[in-house]
Amino acid sequence: MPHKTTLTNHHADSSICPKEHKYTVTGKPTHPDCPGRAYTRAACTCGWDFQCPGKGYADEERKRHRTTNPKPTPGGPKVLRDLLRLDAE
Ligand SMILES: [Zn+2]
Ligand SMILES: [Zn+2]
């Protein structure tokens, strides 16, 4: 099973905080409907799931999960692996 990871931001009520919800550099939400990001969730198609308040930390864990769980076709063409990696961003 391929490890396809995703990173999503969530409000406190667990609804997704979409990309359209912009933040100021100090982290304040600028969208009128946005109560603010409460946590970031990293998830994988294999069932792995990680949540934490820090977006940077969640992204670190996501990358760590991908590196510690190599793709099922490690001998495949490099260009294909690069495509998969881009797709997961
Ligand atoms: Zn996985
Ligand atoms: Zn939001």
Side-chain angles (χ1 to χ4, degrees):
M1 182 186 292
H3 291 274
K4 182 155 171 54
T5 54
T6 52
L7 198 67
T8 46
N9 296 317
H10 294 262
H11 304 133
D13 64 1
S14 81
S15 60
I16 285 186
C17 186
K19 282 200 200 57
E20 299 84 71
H21 289 186
K22 303 287 188 213
Y23 289 83
T24 65
V25 284
T26 53
K28 288 205 180 349
T30 59
H31 194 284
D33 293 334
C34 186
R37 189 183 72 230
Y39 63 93
T40 299
R41 178 185 177 200
C44 182
T45 47
C46 75
W48 176 82
D49 199 301
F50 178 84
Q51 296 178 3
C52 77
K55 184 179 183 179
Y57 186 43
D59 199 33
E60 285 295 307
E61 287 298 311
R62 180 178 71 90
K63 287 176 184 152
R64 199 197 319 275
H65 175 75
R66 276 192 312 189
T67 33
T68 54
N69 293 274
K71 301 274 188 295
T73 54
K78 184 182 183 302
V79 63
L80 183 62
R81 292 205 304 278
D82 287 341
L83 279 175
L84 286 169
R85 188 151 43 229
L86 282 175
D87 190 44
E89 288 301 330

